[in-house]
Amino acid sequence: MIKQYKTVSLSDEQRIALEALCRRRKVDALVWKRARAFLLLDAGEDAGTVCRILDIGPTVLTEWRFAFAGAGLSFFGLKDYSQRQGHLSVVQEQAVRAHFTAQPARNADEVCAYVLAECDQNYSTSGAAKLMRRLGFAYKKPQLLPAQADEAKQAAFIAKYEALMNGLAADEMVVFSDAVHPEHQSRPAHGWFPKGQKTALKATSGRKRLNIQGALDLETFQFTFVEGEKINAQTTRQMLEKLERNNQTKTAIHVFVDNARYHHAKILQPWLDSPERRVKLHFLPAYAPHLNPIERLWGVMHKWVTHNRHYATFNQFTEAIFDFFRKTLPEKWPEFRDTVTDNFRVISLKEYKVI
């Protein structure tokens, strides 16, 4: 006669652990039977039914119950988390959280070293990563912010820009201008590759680069640019002249630029001050590249053209860059609009934990 037991009650942690064990693709048959037996008892099945389902004897089930009562989840080869969370006490975990909140860890090895020194517990790298996630940390890069950005000047610029856009006439346009210097180098980037496959990107020798000065209209994504041996007052004038030639019907072309020296060059002033000039320069606040949307266009260009791409020759590289600006950008600009926008905001270091 099979002895009848009271219903087994597993904790939520135990139940989740045993259910996960039973779902494993590779698990010892005996371990699987033990886990399934206690899940069935927890679900309210009587001992006789459990023994018949799993084809085990009543004395075996009795032995399992006593062993589980004493060993917990370790009876199944699992760590028992029902009484504690990990190898650290609650007080130790609080100390770890406080320490790395004040002094961020650069990698899991630093976490391992601290826990070993302060808590006398030896964690593996993967164990330290799991510990940090459980304590509310995420492995990420800090955002790089200008150290000298002036909040008041940012706010004033945004207000001025919004006033200009609200009063912009039909025969006026606004563009954002900047220079970019893509280097003929292979740029490895994250991507989805077959697991277990070694993946490599051919490196490019040499330091050749393009020097491009461009202007972007956020309304139409019209991109006007010139290329030169270097970016200076002369290339700036060439680009501005090209803007005027390409937009004959516009009575005013508002061009937002940064404070590069060539934008303030004395040799450029007579041309800018000419009575027939339709170009009007507006200067961004110092140390505020986030207020120039064209900076984000450069990022899109690199993701599209240079990330995980190898160009054997500089001519092939140049052709790919120009092809992006001349073909891809006008054809696919709706895909880029959510990234390259004038949704400006004031950046304040007060909002961040500065390390």
Side-chain angles (χ1 to χ4, degrees):
M1 179 177 178
I2 298 177
K3 183 179 179 180
Q4 298 300 314
Y5 301 104
K6 294 181 180 178
T7 304
V8 170
S9 295
L10 299 174
S11 68
D12 290 340
E13 291 84 0
Q14 291 172 335
R15 189 177 302 108
I16 291 171
L18 294 183
E19 288 173 347
L21 187 151
C22 289
R23 289 195 298 270
R24 288 182 186 174
R25 301 179 70 178
K26 293 183 179 181
V27 61
D28 183 82
L30 179 59
V31 173
W32 183 90
K33 276 191 175 184
R34 289 174 176 176
R36 180 53 59 190
F38 285 94
L39 287 171
L40 289 171
L41 291 171
D42 179 63
E45 297 291 347
D46 62 75
T49 302
V50 173
C51 289
R52 285 194 299 273
I53 291 174
L54 300 177
D55 192 23
I56 58 176
T59 56
V60 172
L61 188 58
T62 301
E63 291 173 359
W64 288 359
R65 284 176 60 88
F66 278 111
F68 176 66
L73 290 178
S74 60
F75 174 61
F76 306 93
L78 302 173
K79 293 177 181 177
D80 188 352
Y81 291 94
S82 59
Q83 301 300 320
R84 54 189 172 84
Q85 294 186 3
H87 296 295
L88 304 181
S89 68
V90 174
V91 173
Q92 287 174 324
E93 288 190 350
Q94 290 174 345
V96 171
R97 183 187 291 110
H99 174 78
F100 288 116
T101 298
Q103 302 176 39
R106 289 171 293 183
N107 51 54
D109 290 338
E110 291 187 1
V111 178
C112 294
Y114 175 83
V115 172
L116 179 60
E118 299 297 327
C119 307
D120 195 29
Q121 293 290 345
N122 195 350
Y123 269 67
S124 66
T125 301
S126 60
K130 291 178 181 177
L131 170 67
M132 293 298 281
R133 284 193 288 270
R134 190 170 74 248
L135 296 181
F137 292 87
Y139 192 70
K140 61 183 180 180
K141 287 183 180 180
Q143 186 172 345
L144 192 63
L145 298 179
Q148 304 177 54
D150 188 303
E151 295 178 37
K153 290 181 179 179
Q154 293 178 60
F157 170 82
I158 294 173
K160 180 180 177 182
Y161 173 75
E162 291 178 348
L164 172 65
M165 296 303 294
N166 289 334
L168 196 69
D171 58 355
E172 295 182 323
M173 65 183 293
V174 172
V175 298
F176 287 87
S177 177
D178 189 33
V180 66
H181 312 275
E183 192 173 80
H184 181 211
Q185 291 288 340
S186 301
R187 289 183 171 222
H190 287 87
W192 290 102
F193 304 101
K195 189 175 181 179
Q197 171 187 288
K198 291 185 176 180
T199 307
L201 179 66
K202 289 183 179 180
T204 306
S205 60
R207 296 286 182 179
K208 287 186 177 181
R209 69 178 188 178
L210 285 170
N211 295 291
I212 297 172
Q213 190 164 11
L216 178 67
D217 182 345
L218 294 181
E219 292 297 319
T220 64
F221 263 60
Q222 172 189 314
F223 183 70
T224 304
F225 72 97
V226 296
E227 187 257 339
E229 292 185 6
K230 59 182 179 180
I231 302 301
N232 51 27
Q234 183 178 358
T235 56
T236 299
R237 176 171 172 173
Q238 290 173 352
M239 190 270 296
L240 296 176
E241 287 176 336
K242 192 172 183 179
L243 265 176
E244 289 194 340
R245 288 197 306 272
N246 292 349
N247 298 279
Q248 298 285 345
T249 61
K250 301 298 182 181
T251 60
I253 304 173
H254 301 276
V255 184
F256 286 86
V257 296
D258 61 22
N259 286 276
R261 293 179 62 182
Y262 46 79
H263 290 147
H264 296 278
K266 292 182 179 179
I267 61 173
L268 189 62
Q269 294 309 310
W271 183 84
L272 289 171
D273 294 337
S274 175
E276 68 272 14
R277 197 84 295 120
R278 291 178 291 131
V279 164
K280 302 181 185 299
L281 293 190
H282 302 265
F283 291 93
L284 297 166
Y287 309 108
H290 61 285
L291 296 179
N292 194 344
I294 202 172
E295 294 277 3
R296 293 185 277 281
L297 176 63
W298 305 149
V300 171
M301 178 269 293
H302 278 298
K303 288 181 181 179
W304 195 272
V305 181
T306 69
H307 287 186
N308 291 340
R309 297 287 188 275
H310 170 73
Y311 301 96
T313 68
F314 183 67
N315 285 340
Q316 291 174 348
F317 173 73
T318 300
E319 183 179 349
I321 295 290
F322 288 162
D323 188 66
F324 172 81
F325 290 130
R326 290 169 176 159
K327 296 181 181 179
T328 306
L329 185 60
E331 290 176 0
K332 298 184 177 293
W333 66 268
E335 297 180 22
F336 307 143
R337 295 195 75 165
D338 290 340
T339 302
V340 186
T341 72
D342 57 357
N343 184 21
F344 300 139
R345 66 185 182 91
V346 174
I347 287 183
S348 171
L349 294 177
K350 300 173 185 176
E351 301 173 6
Y352 296 82
K353 163 70 174 177
V354 180
I355 58 176

